[in-house]
Amino acid sequence: MSPLTLMLAPMEGVIDHTMRALLTRLGPYQRCVTEFLRVTDKLLPERVFYKICPELKQAGATSNNTPVYLQLLGSNPQILAKNAMRAVDLGVKGIDLNFGCPAKTVNKSKGGASLLQTPDLVGDIVACVRDQVPCNIPVTAKIRLGFSDDTLFETLMRRLDRAAPTEITVHARTKVQGYKPPAHWHRINEVKSLTNIPIVANGEVWSTADALQCASVSGCDRLMLARGALMRPELGRLIRQEQNNQQQEVLAWSQIAALLLEFFEAQGHHYDAKYTPSPVKQWLVYLKHYHSQAALLFEQVKRIKDPTEFGAALEAHLRSTDA
């Protein structure tokens, strides 16, 4: 099997620029993608782009120089293209178009996965953005297998092939299936012959074994990691080491405890202090699926709202892991 190329997925309300910086430092990601920027009927001001993608102020990359693509969500091809061009002017490394978000509020307003019901519109959006964005800037599309079912999947892939994005990421479930296992990786393999555009497989990659099976079943040597990268922050590195027959460098809980404190402090540098405990608690919810210590820590801190008290609890926990 050829070496796997890994990407870090966008996750609305979960993977912001502070988490991107942390995870890309731990794993060999070729790129990461911002949370979606919703575009409706106008060109958005520059400050909105900087808010969703602060990395624009540092050459469009994380602190360890991992490129960051800006994800746009909307249904108006021309308006999306105008906003994509503004991002290019601000120094973005790439544009990603969201056709996969399953959120009800997004789908009610004709965005995200709802567009999978209209393959021609998806193609028109991608083609319009691709046509107006300079050819040296990647334009990628993130889709699912379909909306209520996957009967339009082949049609969608043919339409995307004509629109010619740089890459297509396929979350191997429909909108209705949401995040329920399994991910249907085999469906990606069934459409690979319809296009020469590189395809990135996404969905249910929780371990190195999952990554290798996903690559084998989907026929893709490009994978996008999402919740698995939060559950095991070193997952990208472990996948690379497994492929290279290297010893696995698994993070000890004391190292993860230090990362939790680092993440909390990074949040404090960028956001109002009163909001900083919540993202750490949210991360602990993911971590506890693999680490029993995370479940214990979550029980200790879940009711703490005061940021000073919360930070002190994290510091005390870190000291206890070194004892």
Side-chain angles (χ1 to χ4, degrees), residues 68-87:
V68 181
Y69 289 14
L70 178 75
Q71 187 176 84
L72 300 177
L73 180 149
S75 58
N76 185 310
Q78 288 295 334
I79 298 298
L80 282 164
K82 287 181 179 180
N83 280 276
M85 280 306 303
R86 170 150 287 180

Side-chain angles (χ1 to χ4, degrees), residues 2 25 32 55 57 86 93 194 205 209 220 239 243 264:
S2 57
R25 191 182 76 221
C32 49
E55 294 96 341
K57 296 180 180 179
R86 170 150 287 180
K93 295 292 188 182
L194 301 179
V205 177
C220 297
I239 293 169
Q243 277 218 296
F264 172 73

Side-chain angles (χ1 to χ4, degrees), residues 144-214:
R144 285 173 173 261
L145 299 181
F147 190 79
S148 56
D149 56 47
D150 64 355
T151 55
L152 291 177
F153 186 40
E154 280 78 5
T155 301
L156 180 66
M157 291 299 295
R158 290 188 183 94
R159 186 64 186 87
L160 282 171
D161 182 65
R162 296 199 301 274
T166 309
E167 273 182 348
I168 303 168
T169 298
V170 181
H171 183 148
R173 285 179 277 231
T174 65
K175 182 271 181 190
V176 170
Q177 289 166 342
Y179 298 99
K180 296 177 182 178
H184 305 282
W185 301 323
H186 69 281
R187 289 292 282 128
I188 301 175
N189 208 338
E190 290 171 357
V191 302
K192 280 176 64 64
S193 63
L194 301 179
T195 182
N196 290 320
I197 297 168
I199 298 178
V200 182
N202 174 227
E204 291 298 303
V205 177
W206 302 97
S207 65
T208 55
D210 290 337
L212 297 179
Q213 185 179 8
C214 176

Side-chain angles (χ1 to χ4, degrees), residues 93-160:
K93 295 292 188 182
I95 298 294
D96 186 65
L97 298 167
N98 182 321
F99 304 109
C101 179
K104 290 183 179 179
T105 54
V106 168
N107 283 260
K108 284 181 180 178
S109 58
K110 200 177 181 182
S114 69
L115 296 174
L116 299 175
Q117 300 170 105
T118 53
D120 283 339
L121 179 55
V122 170
D124 289 346
I125 290 170
V126 174
C128 186
V129 175
R130 177 67 283 175
D131 181 62
Q132 296 190 42
V133 167
C135 60
N136 64 307
I137 302 295
V139 173
T140 59
K142 190 167 192 287
I143 67 171
R144 285 173 173 261
L145 299 181
F147 190 79
S148 56
D149 56 47
D150 64 355
T151 55
L152 291 177
F153 186 40
E154 280 78 5
T155 301
L156 180 66
M157 291 299 295
R158 290 188 183 94
R159 186 64 186 87
L160 282 171

